[in-house]
Amino acid sequence: MLAIFSSFSILTAAVYAGIADRALELARVAANRPVPAPDGSEDPIGIRLDDPDTAARLTAAVLDHRASLDALAVAARDIDERRPRDDWFLVLAAVRNRTTDEARRAVDVGMRLVGAEGFRAESELARLYRDVLAGMFHPSSSRALARTVRGVLEDQADA
């Protein structure tokens, strides 16, 4: 059972990590686009990344993504090395949920930077947005993860 759950969790998390990678790449491209001058002239006033709010959002998304990738790599390594753990199901569900949630936030940052063009039917970001939303429905859902955490907390209280 652990082998099936670990394979599913790690592979699913890796798919969502890939979605986040691409969304952040599209966000970076959008952040480096010139900002048109207010008077409509062709001389831009800078790039979007010059805006502190834009830079902060993109920085936070990149750092969150890095943390998700690291957590995923540690879980995959520990499974490969067959390290003994009493909480494997919690670890795998947490990594899968964290990576999926982070990917959703990365796509959201991309959508904010790309703007309305991200909603066009042919937009890659629109497809990524739709795809990343499916992560809410894969097992283990955040609701199932919450039940698992509650069980762990109750077991620790009884010990």
Side-chain angles (χ1 to χ4, degrees):
M1 187 136 158
L2 179 60
I4 292 169
F5 189 70
S6 64
S7 295
F8 176 80
S9 297
I10 290 171
L11 291 174
T12 304
V15 167
Y16 288 103
I19 290 173
D21 282 341
R22 182 63 180 147
L24 291 173
E25 185 178 325
L26 294 170
R28 180 190 51 79
V29 169
N32 283 294
R33 283 193 316 222
V35 177
D39 64 4
S41 67
E42 294 196 20
D43 188 24
I45 60 172
I47 59 170
R48 297 184 73 184
L49 196 54
D50 292 338
D51 175 56
D53 184 54
T54 298
R57 283 179 195 232
L58 193 51
T59 298
V62 167
L63 293 175
D64 284 349
H65 185 53
R66 181 72 258 159
S68 291
L69 291 175
D70 290 345
L72 179 57
V74 167
R77 181 203 62 209
D78 288 356
I79 280 288
D80 285 346
E81 294 176 359
R82 295 185 174 105
R83 291 189 181 192
R85 292 189 72 136
D86 292 335
D87 63 346
W88 264 122
F89 289 99
L90 176 60
V91 168
L92 294 166
V95 165
R96 210 262 336 141
N97 276 273
R98 177 193 171 93
T99 304
T100 303
D101 290 346
E102 176 270 318
R104 198 167 42 253
R105 289 188 301 272
V107 173
D108 182 62
V109 167
M111 289 294 280
R112 289 175 187 270
L113 289 173
V114 167
E117 75 181 61
F119 286 98
R120 289 190 338 249
E122 64 276 4
S123 166
E124 181 180 4
L125 205 49
R127 182 186 54 79
L128 293 175
Y129 196 71
R130 182 192 68 237
D131 291 349
V132 80
L133 290 177
M136 292 186 288
F137 306 108
H138 286 143
S140 171
S141 67
S142 56
R143 180 176 289 178
L145 180 59
R147 282 193 306 269
T148 301
V149 170
R150 259 194 320 275
V152 169
L153 294 175
E154 289 168 0
D155 289 348
Q156 289 174 349
D158 293 340

